[in-house]
Amino acid sequence: MVDKEHLPQHVGIIMDGNGRWAKKRGLPRTEGHRRGAEVFRTISTYASDIGVPYLTFYAFSTENWKRPQQEIDVIMDLFRDFLHEAEQRQAENETRRFCFRFIGDLSVLPEDIRALADWMEKHNPENGRTTVNVAVNYGGRSELTHAFRTLLSRVQSGELTEPDVTEDAIAQALYTAGQPDPDLIIRPSGEYRLSNFLTWQSAYSEFWFSDILWPDFTTADFDRALEDFARRSRRFGGI
Ligand code: IPE
Ligand code: IPE
Ligand code: MG
């Protein structure tokens, strides 16, 4: 039962545990990523159905390049498949519910992936029900570095002065400009850390941790996270 009154406006999800899920079953890690990509589809659709307006899914971090090339290639292929599928749906006007945003430094990704991601962002519906940020080659520190460079060059060009560099100006220079900060961040897989996810934006987020591995994560688990969130008392430093 979803408490509409206390529904988070923005939920961030760290899709972790794919490798361990596969290992437990004697499967290659990449099978875990395949299964994880399916769960991404299920949870994004469900969250949209119940009316969460913003979602951010952590798909690939700036640190994940340390992994074996073969695993990286499979993750990129899964991202490519998702983009093709979403492109087709947008083009056919089948579903206009999602506005997709790709957050992270996409400049180093294969050319065809960049082109597809660009196309998707340009063909988002005007009044999409749910904005889905897919974080690929994303790192909170890299995002902040990028934002500081943008602001510095605007100061150097005389467009901004030093007092214009406010918290708001920094927030507007992030990939998530114009979006509310995540109210709730979900991390499955039994790890209790952010791993460079939404560093600036998570200052007042509520966290929900669970031992479930991402490929096993269900809509019922998502409901449980929302129920817990609805019971939290958020004070933002007040009383
Ligand atoms: C998350 O699952 C997916 C990515 C980081 C790309 P992992 O691959 O990190 O799975 P574990 O943590 O090794 O189980
Ligand atoms: C975080 O998971 C990144 C993504 C889920 C995309 P990791 O598996 O990379 O995080 P660590 O290494 O356990 O901190
Ligand atoms: Mg992991």
Side-chain angles (χ1 to χ4, degrees), residues 15-21 29 33 58-61 64 67 71 75 187 189 191 213-214:
M15 303 189 282
D16 197 18
N18 296 349
R20 280 164 284 171
W21 181 90
R29 291 177 56 83
H33 296 312
Y58 204 4
F60 193 86
S61 78
N64 288 149
R67 297 184 178 209
E71 179 170 342
I75 294 170
R187 182 163 194 164
S189 92
E191 310 295 354
L213 303 172
W214 176 249

Side-chain angles (χ1 to χ4, degrees), residues 10-13 54-58 103 133 135 176 179 197-198:
H10 186 169
V11 180
I13 303 181
Y54 292 90
L55 298 163
T56 301
F57 289 90
Y58 204 4
I103 68 170
N133 299 314
T176 51
Q179 301 185 8
F197 186 51
L198 301 178

Side-chain angles (χ1 to χ4, degrees), residues 129-180:
R129 180 180 167 91
T130 308
T131 295
V132 175
N133 299 314
V134 185
V136 181
N137 191 24
Y138 174 89
R141 289 182 173 180
S142 147
E143 176 182 43
L144 280 164
T145 306
H146 175 261
F148 294 156
R149 287 192 184 138
T150 306
L151 291 171
L152 182 64
S153 72
R154 290 175 67 195
V155 170
Q156 280 169 341
S157 71
E159 186 195 334
L160 296 181
T161 61
E162 194 185 312
D164 294 328
V165 182
T166 57
E167 288 190 10
D168 200 43
I170 294 171
Q172 293 315 312
L174 301 177
Y175 299 125
T176 51
Q179 301 185 8

Side-chain angles (χ1 to χ4, degrees), residues 6-210:
H6 296 99
L7 200 64
Q9 294 303 290
H10 186 169
V11 180
I13 303 181
I14 301 173
M15 303 189 282
D16 197 18
N18 296 349
R20 280 164 284 171
W21 181 90
K23 194 171 172 217
K24 261 174 58 182
R25 288 164 176 74
L27 298 169
R29 291 177 56 83
T30 47
E31 276 312 304
H33 296 312
R34 262 181 244 292
R35 178 59 186 258
E38 292 305 318
V39 175
F40 157 74
R41 288 169 175 82
T42 306
I43 298 297
S44 52
T45 303
Y46 179 71
S48 172
D49 284 344
I50 63 178
V52 179
Y54 292 90
L55 298 163
T56 301
F57 289 90
Y58 204 4
F60 193 86
S61 78
T62 48
E63 287 72 48
N64 288 149
W65 298 106
K66 292 174 190 160
R67 297 184 178 209
Q69 190 58 43
Q70 187 258 351
E71 179 170 342
I72 295 173
D73 290 345
V74 169
I75 294 170
M76 290 302 151
D77 280 345
L78 288 167
F79 186 39
R80 194 179 269 117
D81 290 349
F82 153 74
L83 285 166
H84 276 301
E85 183 190 297
E87 177 201 31
Q88 198 148 358
R89 276 208 312 265
Q90 298 291 57
E92 288 168 0
N93 233 0
E94 191 189 304
T95 165
R96 308 288 288 162
R97 74 155 90 199
F98 293 123
C99 282
F100 289 109
R101 308 266 322 148
F102 301 97
I103 68 170
D105 178 10
L106 269 62
S107 71
V108 298
L109 298 189
E111 173 63 41
D112 66 311
I113 290 190
R114 271 190 300 158
L116 271 168
D118 254 16
W119 187 94
M120 288 295 305
E121 285 190 330
K122 289 199 184 89
H123 291 79
N124 274 326
E126 290 277 320
N127 302 305
R129 180 180 167 91
T130 308
T131 295
V132 175
N133 299 314
V134 185
V136 181
N137 191 24
Y138 174 89
R141 289 182 173 180
S142 147
E143 176 182 43
L144 280 164
T145 306
H146 175 261
F148 294 156
R149 287 192 184 138
T150 306
L151 291 171
L152 182 64
S153 72
R154 290 175 67 195
V155 170
Q156 280 169 341
S157 71
E159 186 195 334
L160 296 181
T161 61
E162 194 185 312
D164 294 328
V165 182
T166 57
E167 288 190 10
D168 200 43
I170 294 171
Q172 293 315 312
L174 301 177
Y175 299 125
T176 51
Q179 301 185 8
D181 284 337
D183 302 295
L184 173 65
I185 292 181
I186 296 175
R187 182 163 194 164
S189 92
E191 310 295 354
Y192 299 84
R193 53 179 173 260
L194 271 178
S195 301
N196 209 3
F197 186 51
L198 301 178
T199 306
W200 174 277
Q201 299 90 332
S202 62
Y204 268 101
S205 300
E206 297 294 326
F207 293 93
W208 195 81
F209 295 105
S210 146

